[in-house]
Short mmCIF file of all heavy atoms in Angstrom, two decimals:
data_model
loop_
_atom_site.label_atom_id
_atom_site.label_comp_id
_atom_site.label_asym_id
_atom_site.label_seq_id
_atom_site.Cartn_x
_atom_site.Cartn_y
_atom_site.Cartn_z
N THR W 1 9.13 194.83 126.24
CA THR W 1 8.47 195.13 127.38
C THR W 1 8.69 194.04 128.47
O THR W 1 8.52 192.93 128.18
CB THR W 1 6.97 195.27 127.12
OG1 THR W 1 6.76 196.18 126.01
CG2 THR W 1 6.14 195.81 128.32
N LEU W 2 9.07 194.59 129.68
CA LEU W 2 9.35 193.59 130.80
C LEU W 2 8.47 193.90 132.02
O LEU W 2 8.44 195.04 132.49
CB LEU W 2 10.75 193.72 131.22
CG LEU W 2 11.27 192.99 132.53
CD1 LEU W 2 11.27 191.53 132.25
CD2 LEU W 2 12.65 193.42 132.91
N PHE W 3 7.70 192.91 132.53
CA PHE W 3 6.93 193.01 133.77
C PHE W 3 7.64 192.45 134.79
O PHE W 3 8.09 191.19 134.81
CB PHE W 3 5.62 192.29 133.50
CG PHE W 3 4.65 192.77 132.41
CD1 PHE W 3 4.91 192.63 131.03
CD2 PHE W 3 3.55 193.55 132.75
CE1 PHE W 3 4.10 193.04 130.10
CE2 PHE W 3 2.68 194.08 131.73
CZ PHE W 3 2.95 193.75 130.45
N ILE W 4 7.75 193.12 136.02
CA ILE W 4 8.40 192.62 137.21
C ILE W 4 7.33 192.44 138.30
O ILE W 4 6.76 193.40 138.73
CB ILE W 4 9.54 193.42 137.66
CG1 ILE W 4 10.48 193.67 136.56
CG2 ILE W 4 10.18 192.92 138.98
CD1 ILE W 4 11.68 194.50 136.88
N GLY W 5 7.08 191.21 138.77
CA GLY W 5 6.05 191.01 139.78
C GLY W 5 6.68 190.51 141.10
O GLY W 5 7.92 190.20 141.04
N THR W 6 5.88 190.21 142.05
CA THR W 6 6.36 189.78 143.35
C THR W 6 6.83 188.37 143.28
O THR W 6 7.55 187.86 144.17
CB THR W 6 5.36 189.99 144.46
OG1 THR W 6 4.09 189.48 143.94
CG2 THR W 6 5.02 191.49 144.64
N LYS W 7 6.38 187.65 142.30
CA LYS W 7 6.65 186.15 142.25
C LYS W 7 7.45 185.79 140.94
O LYS W 7 7.85 184.69 140.83
CB LYS W 7 5.35 185.40 142.31
CG LYS W 7 4.60 185.36 143.63
CD LYS W 7 3.23 184.81 143.62
CE LYS W 7 3.23 183.40 143.10
NZ LYS W 7 1.90 182.75 143.11
N GLY W 8 7.65 186.79 140.05
CA GLY W 8 8.24 186.37 138.84
C GLY W 8 8.25 187.49 137.78
O GLY W 8 7.74 188.69 138.07
N LYS W 9 8.67 187.23 136.54
CA LYS W 9 8.67 188.23 135.47
C LYS W 9 8.23 187.57 134.18
O LYS W 9 8.28 186.41 133.94
CB LYS W 9 10.23 188.66 135.33
CG LYS W 9 10.70 189.30 136.68
CD LYS W 9 12.26 189.58 136.43
CE LYS W 9 12.87 190.08 137.75
NZ LYS W 9 14.31 190.21 137.66
N MET W 10 7.80 188.53 133.33
CA MET W 10 7.52 187.99 131.93
C MET W 10 7.86 189.28 131.03
O MET W 10 8.00 190.35 131.32
CB MET W 10 6.01 187.61 131.79
CG MET W 10 5.07 188.75 132.03
SD MET W 10 3.39 188.08 131.95
CE MET W 10 2.42 189.63 132.32
N MET W 11 8.06 188.83 129.68
CA MET W 11 8.43 189.88 128.71
C MET W 11 8.00 189.51 127.42
O MET W 11 7.40 188.48 127.13
CB MET W 11 9.95 189.91 128.63
CG MET W 11 10.70 188.83 128.06
SD MET W 11 12.50 188.99 127.80
CE MET W 11 12.88 187.55 127.02
N ALA W 12 8.03 190.56 126.50
CA ALA W 12 7.58 190.40 125.21
C ALA W 12 8.32 191.30 124.22
O ALA W 12 9.02 192.26 124.75
CB ALA W 12 6.14 190.55 124.93
N GLY W 13 8.35 191.08 122.90
CA GLY W 13 8.93 192.02 121.97
C GLY W 13 7.92 193.07 121.50
O GLY W 13 6.83 193.27 122.07
N THR W 14 8.24 193.76 120.43
CA THR W 14 7.41 194.76 119.70
C THR W 14 6.06 194.07 119.39
O THR W 14 6.01 192.92 119.05
CB THR W 14 8.08 195.25 118.54
OG1 THR W 14 9.29 195.59 118.73
CG2 THR W 14 7.38 196.52 118.01
N TYR W 15 4.93 194.92 119.56
CA TYR W 15 3.75 194.46 119.32
C TYR W 15 3.16 193.34 120.15
O TYR W 15 2.27 192.61 119.88
CB TYR W 15 3.51 194.03 117.89
CG TYR W 15 4.09 195.01 116.78
CD1 TYR W 15 5.20 194.41 116.02
CD2 TYR W 15 3.69 196.30 116.67
CE1 TYR W 15 5.71 195.38 115.04
CE2 TYR W 15 4.24 197.06 115.75
CZ TYR W 15 5.26 196.63 114.90
OH TYR W 15 5.85 197.45 114.02
N GLY W 16 3.85 193.10 121.33
CA GLY W 16 3.47 192.04 122.16
C GLY W 16 3.92 190.61 121.69
O GLY W 16 3.33 189.62 122.18
N LEU W 17 4.71 190.53 120.69
CA LEU W 17 5.06 189.28 120.03
C LEU W 17 6.08 188.53 121.00
O LEU W 17 6.72 189.04 121.84
CB LEU W 17 5.73 189.47 118.75
CG LEU W 17 4.84 190.14 117.69
CD1 LEU W 17 5.72 190.45 116.37
CD2 LEU W 17 3.90 189.04 117.12
N ASN W 18 5.99 187.21 120.79
CA ASN W 18 6.80 186.26 121.47
C ASN W 18 6.81 186.46 123.02
O ASN W 18 7.95 186.53 123.63
CB ASN W 18 8.23 186.33 120.93
CG ASN W 18 9.12 185.20 121.32
OD1 ASN W 18 8.67 184.13 121.79
ND2 ASN W 18 10.36 185.42 121.31
N PRO W 19 5.66 186.47 123.66
CA PRO W 19 5.63 186.64 125.09
C PRO W 19 6.36 185.44 125.85
O PRO W 19 6.10 184.23 125.41
CB PRO W 19 4.19 186.68 125.45
CG PRO W 19 3.56 185.83 124.32
CD PRO W 19 4.36 186.10 123.11
N ARG W 20 7.14 185.64 126.91
CA ARG W 20 7.78 184.57 127.63
C ARG W 20 7.77 184.83 128.99
O ARG W 20 7.98 185.95 129.54
CB ARG W 20 9.19 184.44 127.08
CG ARG W 20 9.35 183.84 125.69
CD ARG W 20 10.71 184.05 125.08
NE ARG W 20 10.86 185.40 124.64
CZ ARG W 20 12.04 185.95 124.22
NH1 ARG W 20 13.14 185.21 124.17
NH2 ARG W 20 12.05 187.23 123.76
N LEU W 21 7.51 183.82 129.84
CA LEU W 21 7.89 183.78 131.16
C LEU W 21 9.33 183.60 131.51
O LEU W 21 10.01 183.06 130.65
CB LEU W 21 7.04 182.65 131.97
CG LEU W 21 5.52 182.76 131.92
CD1 LEU W 21 4.92 181.40 132.20
CD2 LEU W 21 5.03 183.79 132.83
N LEU W 22 9.87 184.23 132.58
CA LEU W 22 11.27 184.09 132.97
C LEU W 22 11.45 183.22 134.17
O LEU W 22 10.70 183.41 135.20
CB LEU W 22 11.82 185.45 133.05
CG LEU W 22 11.83 186.41 131.90
CD1 LEU W 22 12.46 187.71 132.14
CD2 LEU W 22 12.51 185.70 130.67
N PRO W 23 12.34 182.27 134.18
CA PRO W 23 13.16 181.92 133.03
C PRO W 23 12.35 181.37 131.93
O PRO W 23 11.30 180.85 132.09
CB PRO W 23 14.12 180.93 133.65
CG PRO W 23 13.28 180.27 134.80
CD PRO W 23 12.66 181.48 135.38
N THR W 24 12.83 181.46 130.68
CA THR W 24 11.99 181.14 129.52
C THR W 24 11.61 179.63 129.38
O THR W 24 10.61 179.30 128.73
CB THR W 24 12.89 181.51 128.22
OG1 THR W 24 14.11 180.81 128.19
CG2 THR W 24 13.10 182.96 128.16
N SER W 25 12.17 178.85 130.12
CA SER W 25 11.84 177.37 130.15
C SER W 25 10.44 177.30 130.74
O SER W 25 9.73 176.36 130.39
CB SER W 25 12.82 176.59 131.01
OG SER W 25 12.83 177.12 132.34
N LYS W 26 9.96 178.16 131.52
CA LYS W 26 8.71 178.10 132.14
C LYS W 26 7.57 178.21 131.01
O LYS W 26 6.46 177.85 131.17
CB LYS W 26 8.47 179.19 133.18
CG LYS W 26 9.16 178.97 134.53
CD LYS W 26 8.74 180.14 135.41
CE LYS W 26 9.38 179.91 136.81
NZ LYS W 26 8.94 180.91 137.76
N THR W 27 7.95 179.05 130.04
CA THR W 27 6.96 179.26 128.96
C THR W 27 6.29 178.06 128.33
O THR W 27 5.02 177.95 128.14
CB THR W 27 7.52 180.15 127.78
OG1 THR W 27 8.20 181.31 128.37
CG2 THR W 27 6.52 180.65 126.89
N ALA W 28 7.06 177.09 128.05
CA ALA W 28 6.55 175.82 127.55
C ALA W 28 6.00 174.84 128.66
O ALA W 28 5.09 174.12 128.39
CB ALA W 28 7.58 175.10 126.82
N GLU W 29 6.55 175.13 129.80
CA GLU W 29 6.12 174.07 130.91
C GLU W 29 4.75 174.40 131.49
O GLU W 29 4.04 173.54 131.91
CB GLU W 29 7.19 174.16 132.03
CG GLU W 29 8.62 173.58 131.58
CD GLU W 29 9.67 173.93 132.58
OE1 GLU W 29 9.39 174.57 133.64
OE2 GLU W 29 10.82 173.46 132.32
N ILE W 30 4.45 175.74 131.61
CA ILE W 30 3.19 176.08 132.27
C ILE W 30 2.08 176.40 131.32
O ILE W 30 2.29 177.13 130.31
CB ILE W 30 3.49 177.32 133.23
CG1 ILE W 30 4.55 177.08 134.27
CG2 ILE W 30 2.19 177.89 133.85
CD1 ILE W 30 5.06 178.17 135.08
N LYS W 31 0.97 175.88 131.49
CA LYS W 31 -0.15 176.16 130.69
C LYS W 31 -1.33 176.66 131.59
O LYS W 31 -1.58 176.22 132.69
CB LYS W 31 -0.66 174.79 130.08
CG LYS W 31 0.38 173.98 129.33
CD LYS W 31 0.80 174.82 128.11
CE LYS W 31 1.89 174.07 127.13
NZ LYS W 31 2.31 174.84 126.01
N VAL W 32 -1.99 177.65 131.01
CA VAL W 32 -3.19 178.27 131.71
C VAL W 32 -4.26 178.19 130.72
O VAL W 32 -4.07 178.20 129.45
CB VAL W 32 -2.88 179.71 132.13
CG1 VAL W 32 -1.84 179.65 133.25
CG2 VAL W 32 -2.60 180.57 130.98
N LYS W 33 -5.42 178.28 131.23
CA LYS W 33 -6.70 178.13 130.45
C LYS W 33 -6.84 179.41 129.63
O LYS W 33 -6.71 180.67 130.13
CB LYS W 33 -7.93 178.05 131.34
CG LYS W 33 -9.22 177.71 130.52
CD LYS W 33 -10.37 177.55 131.50
CE LYS W 33 -11.68 177.47 130.75
NZ LYS W 33 -12.89 177.19 131.58
N GLU W 34 -7.12 179.36 128.36
CA GLU W 34 -7.44 180.52 127.54
C GLU W 34 -8.74 181.09 128.00
O GLU W 34 -9.81 180.41 127.93
CB GLU W 34 -7.45 180.04 126.02
CG GLU W 34 -7.62 181.31 125.03
CD GLU W 34 -7.61 180.82 123.61
OE1 GLU W 34 -6.56 180.15 123.23
OE2 GLU W 34 -8.51 181.15 122.88
N LYS W 35 -8.72 182.45 128.22
CA LYS W 35 -9.94 183.09 128.62
C LYS W 35 -10.33 184.34 127.88
O LYS W 35 -11.35 184.87 127.99
CB LYS W 35 -9.90 183.49 130.24
CG LYS W 35 -8.74 184.43 130.51
CD LYS W 35 -8.58 184.69 132.01
CE LYS W 35 -9.68 185.64 132.60
NZ LYS W 35 -9.28 186.07 133.96
#
């Protein structure tokens, strides 16, 4: 599943597993508060 937004993209595999921001390097670099 691929989401395309006005500022970036994110994707995941089946069952929403392994979600990643694109480019994938952002996934580990960016942290947001768990809500």
Side-chain angles (χ1 to χ4, degrees):
T1 305
L2 172 69
F3 295 77
I4 301 177
T6 53
K7 292 170 55 180
K9 300 171 186 175
M10 62 183 180
M11 69 175 184
T14 315
Y15 314 119
L17 290 171
N18 195 19
R20 285 165 286 172
L21 293 164
L22 298 181
T24 56
S25 58
K26 287 185 175 181
T27 307
E29 295 170 356
I30 298 176
K31 303 294 182 183
V32 297
K33 184 178 180 181
E34 184 176 305
K35 59 185 285 192

